[in-house]
Amino acid sequence: MSSANPPSQFVLRSPAERIALRLPVRGTVFAGLLVVCLTLVSCVSLATGSYGVALSEVWETLRGVTISRAIDNVVWEFRFPRTICAALVGAMMALSGAVLQNATRNSLADPSLVGISQGAALAVVGLTVMFPELDTGLRPWIAFAGSILVAAAIRALSHTRQGGSTIRFILMGIGLSAFISSLTSILLTYGQIDRAMAALAWLAGSINAASWNDVWTLAGWTAVLFPALMLISRSMSAMRFGEAAATGLGAPVTLVRNMQLAIAVGFAAIATSVVGPLGFVGLIAPHAARRLAPAGMGLHLVLTALLGATLVGLADLVGRAAFAPTQIPAGILTSLIGVPVFVLLLMRSRHQSSH
Amino acid sequence: MTIAAVPVTVKHPVRAWSGVPILLAALAGVFLLHIAVGAKQLPIATVVDALIRFDPTIFDHVIVQNLRLPRAVLAVIVGACLSLAGALMQGVTRNPLADPGLLGLTAGAAFAVVVAHSVFGFTAMALTPWIAMAGALGAAVLVYGISLMVPGGPTPLSMTLAGAAVSAFLGTIISVIHLLNQDTFENLRVWLTGSLSGRDITLLWYVGPPMLVAIIAGVLLAPRVTALAMGDEVAQGLGVRTGPLKLQLLAVVVVLTACSVALVGPLGFIGLVIPHVVRLYVGSDYRWIVPYSALVGAAYLVSVDVIARVAIPPREISTGIITALVGAPLFVHLVRRRTR
């Protein structure tokens, strides 16, 4: 079977050959490697902290053996949900960035740069400060509403009679995020101090308060959004050549465009609502994935998600281990890596003045 | 996509001169209003009285002289300096989006002050403006260097993106320093939000002289900025030596920005907003834009500070928040109008 194909890829077929999946070797190998990396980072993350647990003890605990009540508690109630949260949030932000870059056809797009994260942040801070009695389970919905409003505003504002422009989309995003951040600051200054402090801790982009509830929220939304993304991934690759070409190739352009925006906003908003704004993950992960292995849209998205998960897992681990007992929020570390990457990409962007 | 240069229109000098007395009157008006409003409302007559015939035995006069006058003076100075810096930057870079805040200068100054404060333990007030200047200069060089290396050169777009990136990076390092060093956070927290409240007016003794020199130099250089704003070739054709002129202007902008940051912390969007408003009335001649920007900017920041103080009593909003709230929509408008 595989001899009929070029050696750089192999094909998985269902028994009746109704479904065939072509997998490039290099991309698949890297995906495997990333899974190993992610597992390693997660294991170290489970074992590290102010209460030291040996790796073997972590393994025993995860298998359900109770070594001591304390270890059981630390691993199951604090570190395990935190580790899963970091991975899920990383994957979501990375995917959001990948979809946003595809939708705007601009490689510099990132949910935290164009104001989508800030929209979610404003909505959540507003909820925390003004209606603290409301259930925190509403957070993802409110964040989603905030982000989608901002995305719609940027889209509407960047459309003039000459049509839309991707550069205008990004500049508009920068302006709007300044505006939204000011509104958030007003809420923080004007609001009652205890509520403002709660919102402030969340705003730093820290994963240290993650609970099993958060894990279920993130996992639930991922279970909806990721399959939707995979469904349109084929049309997304057509959209890379421009909307006219995509129409010619038979892609439902308007539907895909709107779905892309909704999915990008959804991923960013839900991730933000749980751990706060995480900068630049959506910028780094898709680029790094493209450099690791050339791949079709589907596998590229999988690689991006795995990279994002590993990156945020690592950022969370380093953030709490490097300067212990001071914890550096993961969002700060991702920004520290992300900004130089942004500058490098900016310097290498070739067609930035022709769009 | 291109960002169109500022259109060249020149208003008649007589009309331009006629605005000056109106502006001075407006500035005096908001200045007195700024002093009069607050937790204790004072009649304008008392304010004028306190300013002209100060009597230390009258409580209201003491409020005016010791609490409210310093803050109003700061607002005038900082508003004028930042607007002037913004006007010069827009002329030199031919970038309608240029602003000391957007292009990373304020972030550089703030970063230098925080690092000097926490890492090296320099807390001496006399040094603050010089440290801020070094930081602003470093950030300016960095942003311009990055935009030079971007294919297409230093366009408004590449400069804005580079400025946003550098500001974000410096801001992140500032938060790391704060997390690791709680004392600095306590000392500099208010300063970093860009607020005019509780500032130490005595810093003006150190900041004032370089600021004054820079303001005068800016006004003197303004005629040649008009030539520069039409492009390097045109300016050279008109006999302007563009290289040295640009360096002088950079020095002026850095001093104005850094001294403002040293006084009241990073305040954004003032240098962006004011020159555009001014241009609507005086055209594109920098001989008029520069001094008008200073006057209008001073009146603007005083008015903004009045709003910041009275909008949600008894609390006070940071002035920087209000300038961003007003400035961001204008930024959006400029991007819409000038990008094709």
Side-chain angles (χ1 to χ4, degrees):
Chain A
M1 236 195 276
S2 61
S3 60
N5 293 301
S8 66
Q9 57 186 26
F10 60 89
V11 181
L12 291 177
R13 288 172 207 274
S14 67
E17 300 209 0
R18 292 191 58 91
I19 301 173
L21 199 58
R22 291 195 311 160
L23 291 173
V25 172
R26 191 169 163 201
T28 317
V29 168
F30 271 112
L33 279 177
L34 280 172
V35 172
V36 174
C37 281
L38 181 59
T39 318
L40 273 177
V41 168
S42 306
C43 287
V44 177
S45 180
L46 284 174
T48 330
S50 52
Y51 187 93
V53 183
L55 272 178
S56 57
E57 289 172 328
V58 168
W59 173 239
E60 291 293 313
T61 311
L62 289 185
R63 278 176 52 201
V65 184
T66 305
I67 299 168
S68 76
R69 288 284 293 278
I71 291 181
D72 224 33
N73 205 17
V74 164
V75 171
W76 277 111
E77 291 309 312
F78 295 107
R79 296 203 189 143
F80 203 40
R82 179 173 182 169
T83 308
I84 298 179
C85 258
L88 278 175
V89 160
M92 292 172 98
M93 290 305 282
L95 286 174
S96 173
V99 177
L100 205 60
Q101 285 171 18
N102 199 69
T104 59
R105 293 178 64 205
N106 190 303
S107 57
L108 298 174
D110 172 77
S112 67
L113 192 70
V114 299
I116 290 176
S117 299
Q118 284 85 345
L122 175 62
V124 171
V125 171
L127 188 74
T128 318
V129 171
M130 300 208 290
F131 307 102
E133 67 279 4
L134 281 178
D135 183 18
T136 49
L138 280 173
R139 263 189 187 180
W141 296 99
I142 300 283
F144 186 72
S147 298
I148 203 103
L149 278 178
V150 172
I154 300 173
R155 217 181 129 71
L157 284 172
S158 59
H159 250 275
T160 58
R161 247 170 295 163
Q162 292 99 22
S165 141
T166 62
I167 285 305
R168 212 187 287 134
F169 187 90
I170 289 182
L171 280 176
M172 207 61 87
I174 291 178
L176 229 62
S177 29
F179 186 73
I180 298 169
S181 304
S182 305
L183 291 179
T184 311
S185 310
I186 289 190
L187 281 174
L188 288 176
T189 340
Y190 187 45
Q192 283 181 21
I193 189 71
D194 49 331
R195 300 176 191 172
M197 286 310 284
L200 207 60
W202 170 84
L203 267 179
S206 174
I207 311 179
N208 58 13
S211 67
W212 281 110
N213 260 343
D214 298 329
V215 172
W216 298 131
T217 309
L218 292 171
W221 282 83
T222 311
V224 175
L225 291 170
F226 194 70
L229 179 57
M230 282 298 151
L231 267 182
I232 61 163
S233 68
R234 207 172 271 263
S235 308
M236 274 171 64
S237 23
M239 299 275 276
R240 276 200 288 202
F241 302 107
E243 296 196 348
T247 313
L249 289 169
V253 170
T254 316
L255 177 72
V256 173
R257 197 204 298 132
N258 291 333
M259 273 189 73
Q260 277 185 330
L261 209 57
I263 289 174
V265 167
F267 272 132
I270 306 309
T272 308
S273 77
V274 173
V275 302
L278 273 183
F280 293 98
V281 179
L283 181 82
I284 309 169
H287 285 281
R290 206 165 291 131
R291 304 219 91 185
L292 274 186
M297 190 51 91
L299 186 59
H300 171 68
L301 290 174
V302 172
L303 282 171
T304 302
L306 284 171
L307 264 169
T310 315
L311 184 70
V312 174
L314 205 59
D316 183 44
L317 176 63
V318 171
R320 65 197 164 101
F323 295 97
T326 306
Q327 296 209 348
I328 309 279
I332 287 186
L333 284 174
T334 57
S335 296
L336 277 185
I337 315 167
V339 176
V341 173
F342 177 79
V343 169
L344 275 180
L345 290 172
L346 183 63
M347 287 182 186
R348 290 183 22 183
S349 60
R350 256 165 305 155
H351 301 297
Q352 53 118 2
S353 55
S354 63
H355 276 290
Chain B
M1 184 219 64
T2 56
I3 295 188
V6 180
V8 177
T9 49
V10 178
K11 293 281 160 67
H12 197 270
V14 175
R15 192 180 150 192
W17 270 116
S18 67
V20 175
I22 302 172
L23 275 177
L24 284 173
L27 180 57
V30 288
F31 188 81
L32 290 178
L33 180 72
H34 184 282
I35 296 178
V37 301
K40 185 178 196 301
Q41 302 282 348
L42 302 173
I44 297 281
T46 315
V47 174
V48 177
D49 224 34
L51 292 178
I52 301 171
R53 291 185 298 271
F54 176 58
D55 182 352
T57 57
I58 303 176
F59 182 57
D60 287 352
H61 284 202
V62 177
I63 295 183
V64 168
Q65 286 279 346
N66 293 356
L67 297 173
R68 300 205 179 157
L69 183 63
R71 181 167 179 163
V73 169
L74 274 186
V76 168
I77 294 173
V78 170
C81 285
L82 286 177
S83 308
L84 220 159
L88 292 178
M89 283 174 90
Q90 288 171 13
V92 180
T93 59
R94 306 184 69 205
N95 177 354
L97 303 178
D99 166 74
L102 282 170
L103 295 194
L105 268 73
T106 43
F111 171 74
V113 171
V114 169
V115 169
H117 209 276
S118 65
V119 183
F120 300 107
F122 288 142
T123 47
M125 259 192 338
L127 281 176
T128 310
W130 303 102
I131 295 167
M133 276 182 221
L137 182 64
V141 170
L142 192 59
V143 168
Y144 195 69
I146 292 172
S147 66
L148 267 182
M149 279 190 268
V150 173
T155 60
L157 169 71
S158 63
M159 277 191 274
T160 310
L161 289 179
V166 168
S167 302
F169 193 64
L170 297 176
T172 313
I173 300 182
I174 290 179
S175 359
V176 175
I177 293 175
H178 280 164
L179 280 168
L180 296 178
N181 191 336
Q182 294 282 330
D183 293 346
T184 343
F185 180 56
E186 286 301 317
N187 289 339
L188 296 176
R189 189 177 50 168
V190 184
W191 177 76
L192 275 173
T193 58
S195 163
L196 289 158
S197 77
R199 297 301 177 191
D200 194 349
I201 192 80
T202 49
L203 192 57
L204 208 54
W205 290 115
Y206 305 107
V207 176
M211 264 179 158
L212 199 63
V213 173
I215 291 176
I216 294 170
V219 173
L220 291 180
L221 291 174
R224 278 182 278 166
V225 177
T226 311
L228 210 54
M230 292 185 230
D232 280 12
E233 289 82 6
V234 177
Q236 278 157 1
L238 290 170
V240 175
R241 291 172 61 211
T242 52
L245 176 61
K246 280 184 181 170
L247 282 181
Q248 290 162 356
L249 287 167
L250 175 69
V252 169
V253 168
V254 162
V255 171
L256 289 175
T257 308
C259 290
S260 304
V261 175
L263 278 176
V264 301
L267 276 179
F269 286 105
I270 297 171
L272 176 81
V273 173
I274 299 305
H276 284 285
V277 175
V278 166
R279 228 177 255 118
L280 290 178
Y281 292 97
V282 301
S284 57
D285 188 342
Y286 278 83
R287 268 179 306 172
W288 297 109
I289 293 176
V290 169
Y292 263 69
S293 291
L295 282 179
V296 177
Y300 171 72
L301 191 55
V302 174
S303 324
V304 164
D305 200 39
V306 171
I307 298 172
R309 285 168 57 208
V310 301
I312 44 168
R315 280 160 174 267
E316 193 177 284
I317 308 175
S318 269
T319 320
I321 294 176
I322 310 234
T323 57
L325 274 183
V326 179
L330 184 91
F331 177 82
V332 166
H333 173 73
L334 286 174
V335 170
R336 258 178 89 77
R337 226 185 48 180
R338 300 220 184 266
T339 56
R340 298 272 139 70

